[in-house]
Amino acid sequence: MSVIIKEKKKREPLAYLFTILFFINYFLVFQQAQWLHKIDTAVYFKLTRNLNNLQVMFYNVISELSSSRMAIVYTIVLLGILWFIRWQIPGVWITFTVGTGLVVGWVARLILRYGSKRVEPEMGYAFPGLHVLGMTILVAIVYIIFLPYFKDKALAYLVGFILGIWLIATSVACIYLGQLHVSDITGALTLGFTWVYYCSNLYIRYAAKLKKIKGFRNSNY
């Protein structure tokens, strides 16, 4: 986990950029920008022009495996594995990052649903997309924490590529099934990467202090 500390300065400008992009996206959806709604609608009709049962079944499977509920399941499994190999502190941090990230996304969604004048009923109803948000946080964590420790760089690139494709497939599935718009997905992506960065700052600050607590004294971090 020392990679979090070493790479902090490199990720900082990108994190600030994602933060700005998220709030711009949030503001546009809150204000019900008509040009953004036209883009959302155009992409949806483009992807769903030729529907068939096989595609619907495939994207339903992707959507189910990428749901926020499954993100929590994956996190719990990962916590168990990390706890077993004496990475309790990283495991707790990952659980905290995923859990709080989903809560922040849910709160942001509620504010948009009930705080904005909804000219277009569908626009912003699912912003930010929790399916994509949960997967983005988990993928970002793997990129930041686990991939740098791979001794086989080719394998690290392969895993990173597969996870990137999975994130794209999740996004496409949510649009295809009418669960999310493009603006919901861009909001989830920017919020997810931003949230992992800011939570990594908490890790840097409190990991050593957690190691002094009984139950974490034997943990690697």
Side-chain angles (χ1 to χ4, degrees):
M1 292 290 283
S2 60
V3 69
I4 286 183
I5 300 173
K6 293 178 181 178
E7 300 294 323
K8 179 180 181 294
K9 290 185 178 180
K10 293 182 181 180
R11 294 193 305 269
E12 197 168 36
L14 194 60
Y16 292 153
L17 174 62
F18 282 149
T19 302
I20 293 170
L21 290 176
F22 171 75
F23 281 109
I24 291 174
N25 197 350
Y26 194 89
F27 176 78
L28 291 172
V29 174
F30 191 88
Q31 294 296 319
Q32 300 279 287
Q34 288 303 302
W35 63 267
L36 185 59
H37 178 65
K38 290 179 181 178
I39 293 175
D40 286 342
T41 304
V43 173
Y44 171 74
F45 284 116
K46 182 74 173 178
L47 286 177
T48 59
R49 182 176 298 172
N50 299 310
L51 289 171
N52 63 66
N53 292 333
L54 183 61
Q55 286 176 308
V56 172
M57 182 177 67
F58 173 74
Y59 284 126
N60 269 315
V61 171
I62 295 293
S63 177
E64 183 61 30
L65 292 176
S66 303
S67 66
S68 54
R69 178 179 64 255
M70 290 305 298
I72 295 172
V73 171
Y74 300 147
T75 303
I76 293 173
V77 171
L78 188 56
L79 173 63
I81 294 172
L82 292 176
W83 202 277
F84 179 75
I85 63 174
R86 295 174 60 184
W87 272 37
Q88 294 96 327
I89 294 175
V92 169
W93 174 77
I94 291 171
T95 305
F96 171 83
T97 302
V98 175
T100 54
L102 290 173
V103 169
V104 168
W106 178 73
V107 171
R109 176 181 289 190
L110 286 182
I111 293 172
L112 274 179
R113 283 187 182 182
Y114 302 109
S116 62
K117 295 181 180 179
R118 305 183 56 76
V119 180
E120 299 291 345
E122 293 183 359
M123 187 176 183
Y125 190 77
F127 181 96
L130 296 185
H131 277 66
V132 179
L133 178 59
M135 290 300 105
T136 299
I137 293 173
L138 285 172
V139 168
I141 287 172
V142 173
Y143 278 174
I144 292 172
I145 297 176
F146 297 106
L147 292 189
Y149 283 99
F150 278 42
K151 293 182 179 180
D152 188 336
K153 294 302 179 184
L155 180 60
Y157 285 126
L158 177 62
V159 172
F161 176 75
I162 292 172
L163 290 175
I165 293 298
W166 178 258
L167 195 55
I168 293 172
T170 299
S171 302
V172 172
C174 289
I175 296 175
Y176 191 92
L177 298 173
Q179 297 171 331
L180 300 175
H181 290 301
V182 174
S183 55
D184 303 326
I185 290 170
T186 55
L189 290 170
T190 51
L191 176 59
F193 283 113
T194 298
W195 192 251
V196 171
Y197 170 77
Y198 289 120
C199 285
S200 68
N201 289 339
L202 293 178
Y203 182 89
I204 293 170
R205 184 171 182 177
Y206 293 107
K209 295 180 180 179
L210 277 177
K211 193 170 176 62
K212 297 177 182 179
I213 299 175
K214 185 178 180 180
F216 295 103
R217 290 172 184 168
N218 295 323
S219 173
N220 297 308
Y221 77 97

